[in-house]
């Protein structure tokens, strides 16, 4: 039997090339490898932690579904579903909450960063975000989770909760492993010490940006001192990030790119990169513009995917309830 693989993305805004190269492109490659039974979902319950306006959330759910399909996820090959349509995600989260420990959740970098950002108004959902993620993964007997490396800590909590539950109640959950790409952390265009992040739109190139927007953003991207196109994460973090992006898009090695741009300045390199980004996502933009007009098709894909996913999830929750004495 094929191993189960699951991952989700939050519908919290447009996807950037970090989400794409850290996660979405890998989803498509893993799906097409034929080696896994794949589940990909719209993490709309997680998105609620940002308190979105209802209209925006609804539109973002459709947008992300169109992103999934336009980049090559195929409902005939993968189960594509909407987290909130399967209520047992929330039910298992509650059960796992009772074995999760506050001090271990307090260590989560994402929570600490967001808590700083929102100060007194930080919500409880942000705090137990990793427990919901654990429920998402453990409900499906998942072996592999393709994610960017910003999610490693959360996945570690998932593994901890699986182990703890198994120890207390007997073997129930599989301990999942992460699958990373060669670019597990794309950095911000304006601060290469930080990851590219949807909540900082000026740090991102979005995958449905027009060629004009791509041009403006890459021209504005910070560079390092000196003028050489040379990969050195420590001394030249900005140009190294742009080289990694270029390499992911073109399939050329960093070494080949350094040779190609030897003796050229940042401006020549950036102009070339602008063309490469715009061309790479041209088909995606075309596909998405068609898909996004067909709302009913998008909702119907989510509905039928969610029906399929819920069959597996419902079985698991029954097993869990028996183990803990609720059934
Ligand atoms: N910069 C990144 N490089 C590589 N992978 C990344 N991911 C996110 N940022 C990068 C991966 O994208 C997947 C989906 O992310 P998400 O939407 O679930 O959550 P996120 O990590 O919160 O995305 P953002 O853009 O970073 O949003 P904010 O600004 O809200 O924090 C995940 O697999 C993630 O690893």
């Amino acid at each position: 039997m094929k191993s189960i693989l699951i991952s989700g993305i939050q519908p919290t805004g447009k996807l950037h090339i970090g989400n794409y190269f850290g996660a979405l492109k890998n989803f498509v490659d893993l799906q097409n490898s034929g080696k896994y039974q794949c589940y990909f979902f719209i993490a709309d319950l997680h998105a609620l932690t940002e308190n979105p306006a209802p209209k925006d959330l609804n539109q973002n759910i459709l947008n992300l579904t169109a992103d999934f399909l336009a980049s090559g996820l195929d409902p005939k090959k993968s189960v594509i579903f909407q987290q909130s349509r399967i209520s047992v995600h929330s039910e298992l989260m509650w059960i796992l909450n009772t074995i999760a420990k506050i001090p271990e959740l307090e260590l989560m970098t994402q929570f600490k960063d967001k808590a700083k950002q929102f100060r007194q108004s930080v919500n409880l959902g942000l705090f137990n975000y990793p427990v919901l993620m654990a429920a998402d993964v453990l409900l499906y007997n998942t072996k592999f989770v393709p994610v960017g490396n910003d999610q490693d800590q959360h996945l570690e909590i998932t593994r901890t909760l699986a182990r703890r539950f198994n120890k207390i109640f007997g073997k129930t959950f599989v301990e999942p492993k992460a699958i990373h790409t060669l670019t597990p952390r794309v950095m911000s265009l304006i601060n290469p010490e930080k990851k590219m992040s949807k909540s900082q739109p000026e740090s991102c190139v979005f995958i449905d940006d027009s060629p004009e927007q791509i041009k403006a953003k890459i021209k504005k991207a910070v560079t390092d001192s000196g003028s050489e196109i040379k990969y050195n994460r420590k001394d030249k973090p900005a140009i190294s990030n742009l080289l990694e992006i270029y390499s992911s898009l073109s399939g050329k090695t960093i070494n080949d790119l350094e040779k190609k741009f030897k003796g050229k300045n940042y401006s020549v390199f950036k102009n070339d990169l602008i063309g490469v980004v715009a061309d790479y996502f041209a088909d995606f933009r075309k596909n998405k513009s068609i898909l996004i007009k067909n709302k009913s098709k998008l909702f119907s894909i989510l509905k039928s995917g969610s029906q399929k996913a819920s069959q597996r999830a419902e079985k698991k929750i029954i097993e869990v309830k028996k183990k803990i004495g609720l059934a």
Side-chain angles (χ1 to χ4, degrees), residues 12 19 99 112 157 204 230 244-245 249 269 281 296 304 320:
T12 42
N19 300 132
I99 60 162
K112 286 195 281 189
I157 288 277
C204 306
K230 194 98 194 113
E244 280 185 10
I245 293 172
L249 291 159
F269 172 71
F281 290 107
S296 58
S304 71
V320 170

Side-chain angles (χ1 to χ4, degrees), residues 74-97:
D74 178 352
K76 293 198 193 86
K77 296 182 185 167
S78 298
V79 179
I80 298 172
F81 70 96
Q82 186 179 353
Q83 185 187 30
S84 64
R85 286 180 184 259
I86 305 180
S87 55
V88 296
H89 283 242
S90 306
E91 206 174 337
L92 181 59
M93 177 190 69
W94 181 256
I95 293 168
L96 295 175
N97 269 340

Side-chain angles (χ1 to χ4, degrees), residues 86-321:
I86 305 180
S87 55
V88 296
H89 283 242
S90 306
E91 206 174 337
L92 181 59
M93 177 190 69
W94 181 256
I95 293 168
L96 295 175
N97 269 340
T98 65
I99 60 162
K101 309 229 189 288
I102 288 178
E104 67 199 358
L105 292 176
E106 278 174 337
L107 293 176
M108 297 295 105
T109 310
Q110 180 175 296
F111 173 71
K112 286 195 281 189
D113 286 352
K114 304 244 164 159
K116 249 190 251 156
Q117 201 181 329
F118 299 110
R119 294 180 188 275
Q120 295 306 319
S121 64
V122 63
N123 65 63
L124 187 54
L126 271 173
F127 185 65
N128 67 0
Y129 180 112
V131 186
L132 178 57
M133 176 165 154
D136 299 334
V137 171
L138 298 179
L139 266 177
Y140 295 87
N141 292 332
T142 305
K143 220 160 172 188
F144 298 107
V145 186
V147 275
N149 69 5
D150 59 323
Q151 294 296 326
D152 284 355
Q153 258 194 329
H154 293 168
L155 199 62
E156 210 39 58
I157 288 277
T158 302
R159 293 165 57 80
T160 303
L161 293 176
R163 260 196 314 274
R164 191 172 297 152
F165 188 100
N166 290 345
K167 195 161 172 222
I168 305 170
F169 301 106
K171 177 88 179 117
T172 309
F173 294 124
V174 175
E175 268 187 61
K177 289 197 180 81
I179 300 184
H180 291 315
T181 63
L182 292 174
T183 24
R185 183 174 288 249
V186 177
M187 307 310 279
S188 156
L189 293 185
I190 50 166
N191 178 359
E193 305 297 334
K194 290 198 150 172
K195 73 163 192 152
M196 189 175 279
S197 200
K198 283 183 219 137
S199 50
Q200 271 215 306
E202 64 286 7
S203 74
C204 306
V205 172
F206 295 112
I207 63 176
D208 57 5
D209 274 346
S210 66
E212 295 70 35
Q213 288 168 316
I214 293 168
K215 185 172 174 185
K217 287 179 178 176
I218 292 181
K219 284 211 162 204
K220 261 204 213 151
V222 296
T223 44
D224 312 291
S225 53
S227 62
E228 229 188 337
I229 314 297
K230 194 98 194 113
Y231 188 86
N232 183 328
R233 264 271 162 224
K234 191 164 157 274
D235 297 335
K236 285 173 113 29
I239 214 69
S240 300
N241 186 39
L242 295 180
L243 274 167
E244 280 185 10
I245 293 172
Y246 196 132
S247 167
S248 301
L249 291 159
S250 64
K252 294 195 169 92
T253 64
I254 304 266
N255 219 334
D256 285 345
L257 292 173
E258 285 176 337
K259 278 188 205 140
K260 179 175 158 93
F261 292 102
K262 195 167 175 17
K264 308 254 168 60
N265 61 24
Y266 290 155
S267 162
V268 172
F269 172 71
K270 278 186 169 184
N271 276 333
D272 217 62
L273 178 59
I274 290 165
V276 172
V277 180
D279 287 353
Y280 186 95
F281 290 107
D283 285 345
F284 169 85
R285 286 194 298 274
K286 210 159 79 197
N287 293 341
K288 184 172 176 185
S289 69
I290 298 166
L291 284 158
I292 200 68
K293 290 188 191 124
N294 199 341
K295 275 190 184 189
S296 58
K297 178 180 168 182
L298 296 173
F299 274 129
S300 117
I301 286 171
L302 289 180
K303 191 173 165 202
S304 71
S306 303
Q307 278 161 355
K308 277 189 214 155
S310 88
Q311 287 168 9
R312 181 176 282 274
E314 296 281 347
K315 262 199 214 153
K316 193 75 196 175
I317 202 80
I318 292 170
E319 183 189 344
V320 170
K321 282 179 160 177

